[in-house]
Amino acid sequence: MAADMDPERAAARRDLAVRAAVEQGLLDSEPLVCLLDTAGIRASAAALAAAFAAVLVPGTPVLHAFAVKAAPLVPVLRLLADAGLGCEVAGPGELALARAAGVGAERTVLDSPAKTAAELREALALGIAVNADSRQELERLDALLAAAPSASPVGVRINPQTGAGTIDALSTATATSKFGIALRDPGAREWLVRAFLDRPRLTRLHIHSGSQGVPLPLIAEGVRELHALAEEINAAAGRRQVDTLDIGGGLPVNFASDDPAPTYAEYVSALREAVPSLFDGSYGLVTEFGRSLLAKHGLVLARVEYTKTTGSRPIALTHAGVQLATRTVYAPAAWPLRILPYDAKGAPKDGDPVAQDIAGPACFAGDLLATARELPRLAPGDLIGVPDTGAYFFTAHYGYNSLPRPAVHGFAVSPAGVRFSLARPAQSMSAIVAEAGGDFRDALL
């Protein structure tokens, strides 16, 4: 395991960053900041690349494309690009972010179940790889390509219908999933083979069978189905028409501890067991990981503003809630988060554990990050750290109560100390007003 992926070293860097955030005044004017461990992010990217490089035939084309939805921040995309990753985008906004980060068209993939003609036209003009999600979209692409030829690689997303994981809302390979062309529906497989034979420029197949709550064997089963379909198409075509398999992402993240499990090496091992010939050089590969690259390298750091006891239950009122951890607040059983207690100086807080609620600032009763969590009793001025939040948490703000987006700082630890770099400033009140139509105050009178 690379040194920067070691959980003990990562936890030590995190504690140093919390203390430095207090000492350097990051919390002086804001009661909440979000931190990203840049060394950890680079280590995740390196671990992904190394896991595939270790088993692939040398020279096999591989693109590891970061799923932008997991952390749509231009400096994050730039950091990952510098670490060798491209971008998987799901709409014009994410494409604009990828382009702003300097990610080239040849390292960008467009996926989405509801692409407009304008989105497709832009992607084709730029030469971005496109995965059609439906029969109707494929027909739309036919018309667009007939009108304006493109260098874009074009593929089709399939739904292998291999089954759900433990979180229904994130299971993309169920019998009725909205994504892709259902492979096991009557006549679908035959239609797909014919669709490729009728369209010689179709050269890719795409799948995304994994996500949080989906075990590795089930993810690998979906990839096996993808590979088998590619082999069938190529046999029917009498040539290697399908040359690239986009196997998606969706590696689950361990939210229970600092241990980064499962690892990319374990993921690759599961694929090798299920589809040994995936790595023999016959196909170029694309991956689309998001959460697993970023989650464990993010930390929410919030001040405890008040404490109270209600019905014998101690409650710590903080500034971290539904606006940052939307999934946890609305589905706590599926998205539990750890709470790390710190004192007002940023040192880890000790003391006898007391069952207490960790509440956010929003005006509804369910705005809780944790319920009856055993922690040293918190007091006003203390801090809570919420780890594993580098993807889909504070990066995907939810504007309940017009709560502002917090500042995001990257941090790097060296013998000289901790250096912070602002990746996104805190949202100003004027920006909130403008976003809410402030410039059009009288428009409805």
Side-chain angles (χ1 to χ4, degrees):
M1 182 183 296
D4 284 318
M5 289 292 287
D6 182 271
E8 291 185 2
R9 290 173 62 93
R13 288 198 306 273
R14 180 179 63 214
D15 286 348
L16 287 172
V18 171
R19 185 185 290 273
V22 174
E23 293 174 347
Q24 296 182 35
L26 268 62
L27 290 151
D28 285 355
S29 58
E30 302 290 338
L32 168 70
V33 295
C34 302
L35 306 179
L36 288 169
D37 179 357
T38 57
I41 294 171
R42 285 188 179 276
S44 279
L48 170 60
F52 278 81
V55 299
L56 277 169
V57 171
T60 302
V62 181
L63 170 63
H64 297 297
F66 175 67
V68 173
K69 56 186 171 288
L73 298 171
V74 171
V76 168
L77 306 184
R78 183 65 172 170
L79 172 62
L80 289 169
D82 189 65
L85 273 66
C87 283
E88 183 262 338
V89 301
E94 291 184 3
L95 176 55
L97 297 180
R99 297 186 71 190
V103 179
E106 74 284 358
R107 301 190 63 77
T108 304
V109 180
L110 174 63
D111 294 317
S112 163
K115 306 179 197 72
T116 66
E119 290 172 44
L120 291 171
R121 196 175 291 113
E122 179 185 21
L124 295 173
L126 292 170
I128 288 168
V130 177
N131 290 315
D133 193 80
S134 66
R135 299 188 187 198
Q136 291 172 1
E137 185 183 339
L138 195 53
E139 293 170 357
R140 179 175 284 180
L141 280 166
D142 288 342
L144 291 172
L145 288 166
S150 166
S152 291
V154 180
V156 175
R157 177 171 180 169
I158 68 161
N159 169 13
Q161 296 173 296
T162 45
T166 59
I167 305 175
D168 286 344
L170 295 189
S171 296
T172 59
T174 65
T176 57
S177 171
K178 73 176 185 179
F179 293 104
I181 295 175
L183 186 59
R184 297 181 182 179
D185 281 7
R189 194 178 193 98
E190 293 79 7
W191 182 90
L192 277 163
V193 173
R194 173 49 55 190
F196 272 77
L197 297 182
D198 290 344
R199 297 168 176 84
R201 69 157 297 132
L202 286 182
T203 59
R204 293 188 172 196
L205 280 170
H206 172 43
I207 195 174
H208 188 103
S209 60
S211 196
Q212 193 68 19
V214 180
L216 290 183
L218 193 58
I219 298 174
E221 183 182 345
V223 176
R224 183 174 63 226
E225 292 284 345
L226 185 79
H227 182 270
L229 179 61
E231 294 283 275
E232 184 175 343
I233 291 169
N234 286 346
R239 63 188 182 89
R240 188 169 167 266
Q241 178 174 340
V242 178
D243 60 21
T244 301
L245 300 180
D246 183 337
I247 61 175
L251 186 67
V253 167
N254 168 31
F255 288 96
S257 75
D258 287 322
D259 186 27
T263 65
Y264 290 117
E266 289 166 342
Y267 169 81
V268 167
S269 178
L271 291 182
R272 290 184 75 189
E273 182 176 347
V275 206
S277 53
L278 181 68
F279 300 99
D280 66 5
S282 298
Y283 297 96
L285 295 179
V286 178
T287 70
E288 299 174 356
F289 292 101
R291 180 183 294 107
S292 58
L293 283 162
L294 263 292
K296 301 204 79 64
H297 310 304
L299 179 75
V300 172
L301 188 59
R303 190 168 64 224
V304 176
E305 197 67 42
Y306 302 108
T307 58
K308 63 174 70 172
T309 299
T310 300
S312 77
R313 175 71 58 78
I315 305 171
L317 281 302
T318 79
H319 296 271
V322 70
Q323 82 278 31
L324 307 180
T326 313
R327 288 174 169 174
T328 295
V329 168
Y330 287 124
W335 298 98
L337 286 171
R338 293 180 289 151
I339 304 294
L340 307 178
Y342 296 89
D343 65 23
K345 294 183 178 180
K349 184 164 185 170
D350 296 321
D352 294 334
V354 176
Q356 53 201 302
D357 291 354
I358 309 301
C363 288
F364 73 99
D367 187 25
L368 300 168
L369 294 188
T371 303
R373 189 67 57 86
E374 296 277 347
L375 298 166
R377 185 180 282 271
L378 295 165
D382 285 343
L383 303 171
I384 61 157
V386 190
D388 307 330
T389 49
Y392 295 107
F393 282 89
F394 62 75
T395 62
H397 187 79
Y398 174 44
Y400 197 98
N401 283 154
S402 295
L403 292 166
R405 287 187 287 270
V408 177
H409 300 265
F411 71 86
V413 178
S414 72
V418 179
R419 179 176 59 85
F420 293 101
S421 301
L422 183 64
R424 183 186 71 189
Q427 190 178 23
S428 67
M429 295 303 104
S430 61
I432 290 176
V433 171
E435 195 173 80
D439 292 338
F440 306 92
R441 185 184 64 175
D442 297 331
L444 303 182
L445 296 182

